[in-house]
Amino acid sequence: MIQQTIIKDGDVLLGFVRIADKKYEYTYFDTIGRTKKIAEIDNWNIYEVAEDPEHIFLKMKSFTGDEYLVREDYQIPTAGKVNCAYVERERIDDENTLEALTDILSKRKNTDPGTLYYIDNKQESDKWTHVTVGYEDYPVGTDDSIYAISKIGFKRVVVFRDEVGKVESDKLPVIYHEVDEKYNEVFEHGKIWSH
């Protein structure tokens, strides 16, 4: 068995992390998890993430917490075709779901003004499915602008993160938008969307 070389050359600084000859910036993303350790720098263990063997994204772990990194020269896409989604810590690659999420996000700016709704934190919070997406060829989820997708009565609805207010008397004010009915079947099937 070939022993893997652990990189020890690097620095963990306030603004960036250097691992050998590459610089990484701090960011956040959703992933299914970390795999093998590739470096030990300044009391941090640095791991590759399962979806990205190219080491564009890395996860750092120490006794004090976790940090997420992206290679400094990599431009994160912020729109386009949804390539992957993370829902309740599960990765979704189903083409129908990704197409529905792409459509929902592309129509975001053109939507109706929406409807005010109060989520009861004690009774309803577990019925709202949080979503993070990655665009184009991006291997991990970086865009969390969809706060949640749920059902209100018989309607499937989406709430965007920037339309979430501050909790008032254990109720969270949100603006919801109805999801196009043609996607009802996509969201009705599968355990993660069964709320």
Side-chain angles (χ1 to χ4, degrees), residues 119-191:
I119 300 172
D120 185 324
N121 283 340
K122 292 180 181 174
Q123 296 177 2
E124 287 185 88
S125 61
D126 62 337
K127 295 179 182 177
W128 291 80
T129 305
H130 300 282
V131 181
T132 306
V133 302
Y135 296 106
E136 303 305 332
D137 60 351
Y138 225 50
V140 295
T142 55
D143 180 355
D144 66 349
S145 60
I146 295 178
Y147 174 73
I149 294 176
S150 187
K151 242 178 154 176
I152 296 176
F154 296 106
K155 299 179 285 195
R156 183 71 57 180
V157 301
V158 60
V159 172
F160 296 105
R161 190 162 296 282
D162 61 358
E163 295 180 312
V164 175
K166 295 191 186 311
V167 174
E168 304 169 6
S169 304
D170 281 337
K171 293 189 186 292
L172 183 66
V174 299
I175 303 293
Y176 74 74
H177 304 274
E178 291 185 38
V179 172
D180 193 317
E181 288 183 10
K182 68 182 177 184
Y183 298 121
N184 280 345
E185 191 172 330
V186 171
F187 292 123
E188 290 301 323
H189 294 60
K191 62 182 181 176

Side-chain angles (χ1 to χ4, degrees), residues 77-139:
T78 57
K81 183 180 184 306
V82 174
N83 177 58
C84 62
Y86 291 82
V87 178
E88 307 297 327
R89 298 265 180 230
E90 185 175 326
R91 183 181 169 94
I92 308 300
D93 291 316
D94 170 67
E95 282 301 317
N96 292 328
T97 303
L98 300 180
E99 180 182 309
L101 292 170
T102 298
D103 191 50
I104 288 167
L105 286 160
S106 71
K107 291 179 178 173
R108 180 176 178 203
K109 303 292 184 208
N110 307 331
T111 59
D112 62 275
T115 304
L116 178 62
Y117 184 78
Y118 289 88
I119 300 172
D120 185 324
N121 283 340
K122 292 180 181 174
Q123 296 177 2
E124 287 185 88
S125 61
D126 62 337
K127 295 179 182 177
W128 291 80
T129 305
H130 300 282
V131 181
T132 306
V133 302
Y135 296 106
E136 303 305 332
D137 60 351
Y138 225 50

